[in-house]
Amino acid sequence: MNIPPTFLNSNTVVLMRGITKEFYGFKALDNVDFDIKKGEIHVLLGENGAGKTTLVKILTGVYLMDKGEIYIDGVKRDIRNVGDAVKYGISIVNQYPQLIDELTITENISLSLRSLGIIHRFNKIKEKIIEYSDKYSFKLDPDKYVRDLSFSERQRVEILKAILLDSKVIIMDEPTTLLTTWERKLIYQFMKRAKEEGRSIVLITHKLSEALEVADRITILKKGRVVARLNAEDATYGKLMKLMFDKIHAKTVDRKRDVDSRNEILRIEDLVVLDEYGRKAVKNVNLKLYSGEIVGIAGIAGNGQRELIEAIYGVRRREAGKIIFLGRDISKYNARELRKLVGYIPDKIPEAVILNMPIYENLILKKYDDSMILRKKIFIDYKSVYKYSSSLISEYNIAAEDPGVDAGTLSGGNLQKLVLARELSLDPPLIIAVNPSKTLDHFSTELLHSTLIKYRDRGKAILLVSEDSEEVMKVSDRIMVMHEGNLYELGSKDEVDLGLIEEYMIRGGEVEEVIKVG
Amino acid sequence: MISLDLIIRAILAGTPLLIASLGEIYTERSGVLNLGLEGIFVLGAAVSFVTTVDSGNVILGLIFAGIAGGILGLIHGIVSVSFRGRQVVSGLALTIVGYGIASLIGAKYVGKPLPTYIYIGDKWIILLISELAIAFLLWYLLFKIKLGAIIRSVGEDPISAYGLGVDVVKTRILTTLFGGFLGGLAGGWYVLGYIHIWTEGTGMGRGWIALAIVIVSAWNPLLAPIFSLIFGGVEAAIWRFQLPPYNFNPYLLGATPYLTTLLILVIFMATPLKKYFRPPKALGIPFYREERTI
Amino acid sequence: MFKIEVTIKKRSRELPYSGFIIPLSSIIISISISLIILGLYGVDPGKFFKVFTTALISPSSIRYAIPLILSGVGLAVAYKANVWNIGAEGQILAGALVASGLALYYIPPTMPHEAAILLLYIAAFLAGSLTALIPAILKALYNVNEVLSTLMINYIMMQIVNYLVYGPWRGKKEYGYPRTDIFPNNTILPQLEIGGLKTTINIPTLILMIGSAIVIYVILFKTKWGYEIRVYGLSEEAARYGGLEIWKIIILVMVISGGLAGLAGAGEVLGVYKQLIRAERVSAGFGYTAIIVAWLGNLNPLGILLSGYFIGVLVSMGYTLQIFTGVPYGTVNIFTGTLLLTLISLDFLSKYSPVIRVRR
Ligand SMILES: Nc1ncnc2c1ncn2[C@@H]1O[C@H](COP(=O)(O)OP(=O)(O)OP(=O)(O)O)[C@@H](O)[C@H]1O
Ligand SMILES: [Mg+2]
């Protein structure tokens, strides 16, 4: 038996040593050690891109490490694929649930259960799903297709999967970021229970308060290295902040809205939009957006926000209603014109970036047909494009070797900067940002928010669509909530509190009735 | 005009199309588009002929045709799944190779008579029933048991499927192998069970039609027999209309299966029927387990 | 017990010089594979190489390279946009058919040679474009799969050409053979003479071929249209969100692609055969072989000039092999098909690097 020297405690179920992983020559993990004890909640902290997800994906067999060793219960093991990890009792609840839309809950779960033969007919497993779903009050219908599930329901499916696999280590990658208070409670409850049952939990989170509340131990990653390992008793908010970030984060920029010069930028009347399956995703929505303001639309994913913004941005057909942009109906704009007047920062990178194209060609996606870039109206002047790109890269601090490398080799945060650089450089009167901080850590989020607020202060309009109620609360001037295709205007920032937003996010219009009656 | 005779001929002509398209449905459901099906069909035809002439045994002919198709299917699987080559290019290349091998191995056999073949005669009703049974079985396996869930998962969302523990590469290669096997078998059946002769080029074009059947059947094994019968019917009608009293020009008639395919594709894609044709989401997209997901 | 383990990793940049190394090694590998297959059939490798080296310098290789390169350059435009035009065969036939019809029945014998030829080229280009326009529109409007629609049109065009040469257009002075009469003199393209001997290389199409390769290169890599084509080809989603007019891109690439194939078709009938013959012989699968040419040339028009010549050599070799060894011409397909397969398999190495580990 080759028991490693650092294997101190017989309670240790997993020990990862010297883990190194490169993507495109970029070290996402550099000689990382990590261990998990039986029955503990181990919080993994770290800023955006620190390598947390990469580390746990190695443990669960999704990625292969370049160097390192993994010991399970003191024995050196190879984890070559997901099946190996499952065999050793390790499973993951992903940052973005990884389930197959076109399969039912039962079918999805059955895929990971190796004990079920390929001719299994789902009857037994279905019973089990119902049993466990009740036990943890998950409220899941095993015959529902995953495409019809909300974000939180999908996450519960993944948790259920981990339970049915009887995993002794359950990794939860930012499970609470996109949840409402009630759903969050469900997760905490589950973790407590799992711990009592002797399972270990690895919790990845950006929320320091959450970390302090539930953790037994905390490991902090920074730029692919472990910078600290501490017991929860020794951790304080300030200490964690200092360990996680180099700089003390910027103060939120003061708001000085110029209320006098309010021009209407966008007006939506009785808008109806359908989703891919022909269902009404946006139901008679009305909205006005003025220059110099940020309107925040909160809502749980899948309540019609996506369809709404796609209709505004002109990539989805309207079923009925009007969208007036700068005094003209958007159908009067040609597609290119509209794209140049509306900046769009999506949460899905492939909508904005061509991963297999060099950075400089990505930066001109909205500009390539401008006269400043063209010679003789048709030839792209690549020399000046290159120069222009280099200047944007340094202005927005994009970490890239040179503008000639493929955009796909950038890290997630840098890809977002690339999009931001391109969209803001067009100086559009309207910016639509979708979950802009979904994958950002504290510091980058602050920076992004202050960029958006500064942009607003130049008299521009911003439509912020987010699943994160706190984000909406923090940066918006007016707050709305979208629920099941309806848009509810809750009022200005000062008239609304977080609780009300979340009530609406969960229950939509029913809240009004309660208020009226009460 | 629509006589029983014509219907029987439609069933006979439709059988190889059905076999090929059922296999390809499995391949495509797992996310692999195999345009090599055309070459596989043609090769299967040649192999079955050569084998049967040499051995005098149709079963052997069919088996060897299936194996030849399976080998080409496997090559497509390795090139497009393991090496992530573009599926369209790999499939076309395979079709070209299939054509080439068929003409090479068949060259010395042109004009030889088949010593024996599959005679259906009045047993066509049995043929029809077994076809429907097989289609039903394949549907059942695809939609009602875990095997089907595995196949569909890698065709819809291979990265998530991998995360759930499915061996994407193995699954895709095996379905491609299976599709190739049935494609070769189909070519063999075409010669041994339908036209009973072989010359260079026999079977050309059938593979493309089988590919079209896969689309209009919405990747559903239960619908494939219907469309195979329709295309078989077109072929039977061509044969009928060349004869007196119709005497239509054979070349213009020869264009009708392709025109029909085109028209059916357009009808299905340009009308509200389109809603039913959602191809597997990852069809044609190579899988790399460390692909970035945001 | 040692275990050798191969895993792969995406490269951040393509392997240097992969544009050269990979086609070259695919050629070597596929020659070896084909030699083995042919060897099993009793073909002597020595003979094979002799035929091959003769073909390398034979003018007939250039003659075959012309339609292959013209069509291949066109296909590259479509493939750069990720539009799978498999219809070069039908588009070649369309060009040949229209050029033949005009030459036979509409161009007056008194029309000046240059004018007649110009007119015929334009008509052939349009014919090829129109043939490609149908699948283009079907794709742009209804998302009809272009692989199948272009393929179907190939077969339909084949049958139409055969119907004509067996029926209404069958030549009166051709002793009942399925072909039209020889075209009038003012519609026939001048052929290159080497050392006083006429070759089947026709000069105008050769010039068109080189010209189009250069023009398409510039369009693809230096202009805004090329940018749009490449963006759409790499990411339909980004193109849609960027507001590119996708239907215009689809139509543009298909029109260029079909037009160039149409020119190739005109070159064949006006410059080589001087009459319209059976469909299987006018194009002889050049429309499919051009697909290989396009990929072997890495979808770069300048690379296609080279790859087209190489495949031209193979085609001309195929015909000689048939004559000298009795191996059917179709066998050359094994060679070209294997070449394409090895090419796209090896291409893998330019994008991924294998990591080989030996473990105990
Ligand atoms: N599959 C991949 N391909 C290329 N680069 C990747 C891939 N996965 C992660 N990276 C890069 O590796 C680095 C670490 O990413 P990782 O997702 O592990 O960070 P994280 O700590 O989980 O961040 P977050 O808090 O945003 O989830 C980032 O720079 C990221 O862009
Ligand atoms: Mg992460």
Side-chain angles (χ1 to χ4, degrees):
Chain A
M1 288 283 245
N2 32 9
I3 295 180
T6 52
F7 207 92
L8 305 168
N9 192 321
S10 63
N11 258 344
T12 307
V13 281
V14 172
L15 174 70
M16 301 174 82
R17 272 210 324 172
I19 308 291
T20 300
K21 175 75 185 170
E22 284 188 7
F23 290 111
Y24 309 113
F26 160 83
K27 272 202 173 124
L29 292 175
D30 186 3
N31 204 14
V32 167
D33 294 343
F34 184 65
D35 69 310
I36 307 168
K37 286 187 188 139
K38 189 173 158 71
E40 72 165 348
I41 297 183
H42 193 154
V43 169
L44 193 51
L45 281 176
E47 59 183 321
N48 189 232
K52 307 179 295 290
T53 300
T54 306
L55 182 68
V56 295
K57 281 198 169 170
I58 286 174
L59 185 58
T60 52
V62 176
Y63 294 165
L64 290 173
M65 58 193 171
D66 297 335
K67 262 192 229 130
E69 292 165 340
I70 298 176
Y71 296 85
I72 316 262
D73 291 331
V75 184
K76 189 175 168 191
R77 301 286 190 186
D78 264 336
I79 297 187
R80 317 283 317 144
N81 52 47
V82 177
D84 288 348
V86 168
K87 197 163 73 193
Y88 301 127
I90 302 163
S91 56
I92 186 169
V93 175
N94 288 292
Q95 193 165 2
Y96 309 101
Q98 294 205 348
L99 299 167
I100 290 115
D101 278 353
E102 304 295 321
L103 263 55
T104 63
I105 294 181
T106 310
E107 288 172 335
N108 266 289
I109 291 181
S110 78
L111 290 180
S112 53
L113 299 178
R114 301 228 140 185
S115 56
L116 304 182
I118 56 168
I119 52 165
H120 182 78
R121 283 171 38 228
F122 305 129
N123 34 11
K124 264 185 241 133
I125 183 68
K126 208 182 277 178
E127 279 165 26
K128 261 205 166 159
I129 292 175
I130 296 173
E131 182 195 325
Y132 279 85
S133 165
D134 286 350
K135 186 169 155 194
Y136 292 88
S137 29
F138 278 0
K139 293 189 187 139
L140 293 172
D141 171 0
D143 287 328
K144 252 195 169 177
Y145 280 94
V146 167
R147 61 166 183 259
D148 296 326
L149 301 183
S150 71
F151 181 86
S152 130
E153 284 171 319
R154 287 169 198 233
Q155 197 173 52
R156 277 175 260 159
V157 174
E158 291 216 323
I159 296 176
L160 207 57
K161 178 196 79 182
I163 297 170
L164 284 169
L165 281 169
D166 198 24
S167 311
K168 57 184 181 192
V169 177
I170 299 175
I171 297 158
M172 308 189 75
D173 197 351
E174 300 189 34
T176 58
T177 319
L178 302 174
L179 300 187
T180 57
T181 321
W182 173 77
E183 292 162 339
R184 222 169 274 167
K185 256 196 201 128
L186 211 60
I187 301 274
Y188 293 145
Q189 251 172 32
F190 163 76
M191 290 198 294
K192 231 171 92 192
R193 196 159 175 168
K195 194 173 144 178
E196 282 161 12
E197 291 165 355
R199 302 177 205 276
S200 315
I201 303 270
V202 175
L203 173 70
I204 299 179
T205 181
H206 281 148
K207 295 186 174 133
L208 295 186
S209 52
E210 184 174 277
L212 289 166
E213 205 178 306
V214 302
D216 296 318
R217 281 198 302 152
I218 297 173
T219 296
I220 300 177
L221 278 179
K222 190 153 89 185
K223 297 195 173 119
R225 290 163 180 268
V226 176
V227 290
R229 254 183 226 103
L230 53 168
N231 287 325
E233 305 91 75
D234 310 331
T236 62
Y237 192 92
K239 198 165 169 188
L240 294 180
M241 280 301 276
K242 227 186 256 159
L243 286 166
M244 276 172 71
F245 302 110
D246 295 330
K247 316 158 210 176
I248 297 304
H249 59 283
K251 261 198 306 181
T252 308
V253 175
D254 286 336
R255 330 163 137 255
K256 37 176 186 252
R257 231 169 93 201
D258 186 0
V259 197
D260 303 338
S261 60
R262 275 167 48 119
N263 300 319
E264 182 187 280
I265 302 286
L266 181 71
R267 187 172 82 238
I268 294 176
E269 293 174 8
D270 292 320
L271 181 69
V272 178
V273 186
L274 303 184
D275 69 7
E276 279 87 49
Y277 301 97
R279 302 175 292 209
K280 260 194 193 178
V282 176
K283 300 169 182 162
N284 296 64
V285 159
N286 290 287
L287 169 77
K288 276 185 184 166
L289 183 57
Y290 297 97
S291 60
E293 72 168 347
I294 299 179
V295 166
I297 300 181
I300 301 165
N303 274 286
Q305 306 93 313
R306 168 152 290 274
E307 287 79 4
L308 172 67
I309 46 170
E310 286 183 354
I312 299 171
Y313 196 53
V315 287
R316 190 181 279 275
R317 227 172 51 86
R318 271 179 286 176
E319 190 64 15
K322 280 186 191 156
I323 304 177
I324 313 289
F325 176 56
L326 302 177
R328 274 203 291 162
D329 193 278
I330 58 151
S331 60
K332 300 265 161 45
Y333 294 88
N334 80 28
R336 285 298 291 171
E337 207 180 343
L338 189 64
R339 296 306 190 281
K340 288 178 187 181
L341 291 168
V342 182
Y344 180 55
I345 303 164
D347 54 352
K348 288 193 186 157
I349 289 293
E351 287 175 357
V353 179
I354 305 126
L355 295 171
N356 298 327
M357 245 186 179
I359 294 172
Y360 68 91
E361 290 205 297
N362 266 294
L363 281 171
I364 57 167
L365 182 60
K366 288 197 162 181
K367 270 206 161 113
Y368 74 90
D369 49 358
D370 276 7
S371 50
M372 52 168 284
I373 273 178
L374 294 177
R375 277 178 295 119
K376 295 182 194 145
K377 290 206 170 120
I378 58 168
F379 296 102
I380 294 179
D381 182 359
Y382 277 108
K383 241 189 220 144
S384 67
V385 167
Y386 216 85
K387 248 190 239 149
Y388 166 77
S389 303
S390 305
S391 71
L392 275 187
I393 286 175
S394 58
E395 188 184 335
Y396 283 83
N397 245 326
I398 303 171
E401 279 172 58
D402 66 90
V405 300
D406 279 0
T409 62
L410 292 181
S411 72
N414 282 304
L415 279 171
Q416 211 186 22
K417 285 186 202 161
L418 181 129
V419 177
L420 200 66
R422 182 179 75 206
E423 301 298 306
L424 293 190
S425 69
L426 286 164
D427 207 28
L430 170 65
I431 292 259
I432 301 176
V434 186
N435 290 323
S437 65
K438 188 166 168 178
T439 59
L440 296 186
D441 59 72
H442 189 81
F443 182 68
S444 325
T445 304
E446 290 288 309
L447 198 71
L448 175 87
H449 287 167
S450 67
T451 311
L452 289 180
I453 288 168
K454 261 188 230 149
Y455 198 70
R456 174 205 66 190
D457 292 342
R458 290 175 43 207
K460 311 287 184 172
I462 292 171
L463 190 59
L464 168 72
V465 178
S466 178
E467 299 167 18
D468 180 352
S469 46
E470 285 172 31
E471 174 173 44
V472 169
M473 187 71 200
K474 192 168 133 226
V475 281
S476 312
D477 301 308
R478 270 193 300 145
I479 293 169
M480 304 184 183
V481 171
M482 201 149 181
H483 179 262
E484 293 188 349
N486 297 306
L487 188 64
Y488 303 96
E489 170 144 17
L490 305 193
S492 76
K493 180 190 158 60
D494 324 311
E495 301 162 354
V496 181
D497 65 28
L498 210 56
L500 189 69
I501 300 180
E502 294 192 347
E503 282 286 301
Y504 267 89
M505 284 168 72
I506 301 166
R507 294 194 290 150
E510 284 169 36
V511 180
E512 271 163 45
E513 256 122 69
V514 177
I515 293 171
K516 259 184 236 153
V517 175
Chain B
M1 211 180 78
I2 297 189
S3 57
L4 184 63
D5 186 39
L6 203 66
I7 293 176
I8 296 173
R9 275 197 91 90
I11 294 170
L12 293 181
T15 302
L17 297 178
L18 177 65
I19 301 173
S21 55
L22 285 175
E24 178 69 12
I25 286 177
Y26 266 60
T27 311
E28 292 193 17
R29 275 282 179 180
S30 78
V32 180
L33 174 70
N34 185 4
L35 292 183
L37 187 61
E38 163 76 6
I40 287 172
F41 193 100
V42 170
L43 179 62
V47 168
S48 73
F49 183 77
V50 169
T51 317
T52 309
V53 167
D54 281 352
S55 71
N57 187 336
V58 283
I59 304 290
L60 225 51
L62 286 179
I63 290 176
F64 275 65
I67 291 176
I71 292 173
L72 288 203
L74 184 64
I75 294 177
H76 183 62
I78 291 171
V79 172
S80 68
V81 180
S82 305
F83 292 150
R84 293 162 187 74
R86 276 164 230 263
Q87 295 181 3
V88 176
V89 186
S90 162
L92 284 170
L94 218 59
T95 286
I96 295 170
V97 171
Y99 282 177
I101 301 180
S103 80
L104 184 66
I105 63 170
K108 293 179 194 134
Y109 291 79
V110 180
K112 289 197 181 165
L114 261 184
T116 163
Y117 52 84
I118 302 167
Y119 179 72
I120 302 295
D122 50 6
K123 291 199 282 299
W124 58 272
I125 212 96
I126 298 175
L127 179 67
L128 184 64
I129 290 169
S130 20
E131 281 180 7
L132 294 177
I134 290 170
F136 178 81
L137 177 70
L138 289 177
W139 172 83
Y140 184 84
L141 298 181
L142 194 53
F143 290 101
K144 295 294 163 193
I145 66 167
K146 186 176 163 185
L147 173 71
I150 293 175
I151 294 174
R152 287 180 291 135
S153 73
V154 302
E156 291 290 341
D157 183 351
I159 297 208
S160 296
Y162 183 75
L164 287 169
V166 176
D167 190 336
V168 178
V169 172
K170 192 169 102 191
T171 309
R172 285 187 162 184
I173 289 186
L174 286 179
T175 55
T176 314
L177 177 70
F178 176 70
F181 180 81
L182 285 196
L185 193 69
W189 188 281
Y190 178 71
V191 166
L192 301 177
Y194 178 48
I195 60 167
H196 307 149
I197 50 165
W198 186 87
T199 57
E200 188 172 351
T202 289
M204 277 191 184
R206 296 292 179 305
W208 305 133
I209 292 179
L211 281 158
I213 292 176
V214 172
I215 296 181
V216 293
S217 306
W219 293 268
N220 186 342
L222 279 187
L223 294 179
I226 301 173
F227 290 99
S228 305
L229 205 64
I230 291 177
F231 282 102
V234 172
E235 220 178 299
I238 291 175
W239 156 80
R240 187 74 194 82
F241 281 114
Q242 287 184 33
L243 304 176
Y246 305 106
N247 292 326
F248 278 113
N249 182 295
Y251 296 104
L252 292 185
L253 275 178
T256 46
Y258 307 105
L259 206 57
T260 317
T261 311
L262 194 58
L263 282 180
I264 291 186
L265 276 179
V266 174
I267 289 170
F268 277 88
M269 297 303 288
T271 62
L273 283 171
K274 187 179 168 167
K275 276 212 283 293
Y276 302 99
F277 299 93
R278 196 168 295 121
K281 267 197 217 104
L283 182 60
I285 301 169
F287 164 72
Y288 173 52
R289 70 195 266 192
E290 299 195 345
E291 204 69 73
R292 65 185 329 141
T293 43
I294 52 148
Chain C
M1 271 286 286
F2 286 93
K3 231 168 98 184
I4 295 177
E5 214 177 62
V6 184
T7 53
I8 52 162
K9 251 187 130 149
K10 233 179 196 164
R11 294 178 195 275
S12 55
R13 286 166 195 257
E14 284 205 348
L15 185 73
Y17 307 107
S18 57
F20 278 107
I21 299 171
I22 284 172
L24 223 62
S25 22
S26 333
I27 287 172
I28 294 167
I29 293 174
S30 56
I31 285 186
S32 325
I33 294 177
S34 308
L35 271 181
I36 292 171
I37 295 178
L38 286 176
L40 290 177
Y41 261 77
V43 178
D44 167 20
K47 215 170 201 176
F48 177 89
F49 274 110
K50 217 171 119 203
V51 175
F52 181 69
T53 40
T54 322
L56 266 181
I57 47 162
S58 149
S60 82
S61 300
I62 298 177
R63 167 257 173 281
Y64 293 120
I66 294 175
L68 290 176
I69 290 171
L70 259 176
S71 317
V73 166
L75 289 176
V77 178
Y79 298 159
K80 270 281 177 204
N82 216 8
V83 173
W84 293 98
N85 179 13
I86 313 296
E89 186 81 358
Q91 292 142 16
I92 290 174
L93 288 172
L97 185 148
V98 166
S100 306
L102 288 177
L104 283 172
Y105 302 109
Y106 292 97
I107 304 250
T110 50
M111 191 187 268
H113 198 182
E114 288 77 13
I117 286 173
L118 189 66
L119 189 84
L120 287 167
Y121 271 134
I122 292 173
F125 187 92
L126 290 177
S129 299
L130 280 175
T131 312
L133 195 59
I134 299 166
I137 290 175
L138 292 179
K139 181 180 167 70
L141 285 184
Y142 306 122
N143 204 11
V144 173
N145 182 313
E146 73 275 22
V147 171
L148 284 173
S149 59
T150 50
L151 268 168
M152 295 302 131
I153 291 173
N154 288 348
Y155 282 91
I156 295 170
M157 287 308 302
M158 251 174 87
Q159 301 291 348
I160 293 176
V161 168
N162 281 348
Y163 161 72
L164 290 172
V165 296
Y166 277 101
W169 286 8
R170 196 191 292 232
K172 307 211 167 38
K173 294 167 227 148
E174 296 293 326
Y175 316 103
Y177 282 109
R179 52 195 191 209
T180 65
D181 285 324
I182 298 283
F183 302 144
N185 271 333
N186 64 338
T187 62
I188 292 178
L189 302 171
Q191 292 175 325
L192 187 72
E193 283 176 36
I194 298 177
L197 285 173
K198 270 218 164 166
T199 66
T200 42
I201 302 167
N202 72 82
I203 304 160
T205 320
L206 182 72
I207 294 169
L208 271 180
M209 169 196 99
I210 296 170
S212 63
I214 294 168
V215 170
I216 296 294
Y217 176 84
V218 172
I219 289 182
L220 274 183
F221 298 106
K222 307 281 174 205
T223 68
K224 60 174 181 179
W225 303 308
Y227 179 81
E228 288 176 337
I229 289 171
R230 287 180 294 120
V231 168
Y232 175 60
L234 289 171
S235 167
E236 161 152 21
E237 209 174 1
R240 211 156 57 84
Y241 278 82
L244 309 197
E245 285 174 295
I246 289 171
W247 66 274
K248 274 192 196 162
I249 300 175
I250 294 173
I251 291 192
L252 174 75
V253 298
M254 283 298 270
V255 161
I256 294 180
S257 184
L260 293 181
L263 288 181
E268 289 301 287
V269 287
L270 303 175
V272 181
Y273 302 111
K274 303 172 187 150
Q275 64 191 158
L276 184 63
I277 53 183
R278 280 167 47 85
E280 296 83 341
R281 290 195 46 225
V282 180
S283 163
F286 292 162
Y288 300 109
T289 313
I291 299 170
I292 301 172
V293 170
W295 286 102
L296 191 60
N298 203 13
L299 302 190
N300 180 335
L302 304 181
I304 289 171
L305 285 175
L306 284 178
S307 65
Y309 177 72
F310 179 74
I311 299 286
V313 170
L314 291 190
V315 171
S316 117
M317 182 184 83
Y319 287 115
T320 353
L321 265 185
Q322 184 168 20
I323 296 166
F324 290 114
T325 64
V327 177
Y329 167 74
T331 311
V332 86
N333 284 331
I334 300 178
F335 197 91
T336 49
T338 323
L339 176 56
L340 192 52
L341 281 173
T342 29
L343 180 79
I344 59 172
S345 301
L346 287 184
D347 192 44
F348 169 76
L349 293 176
S350 74
K351 301 203 182 72
Y352 297 84
S353 63
V355 184
I356 299 170
R357 271 181 276 214
V358 181
R359 299 182 319 146
R360 261 195 302 185

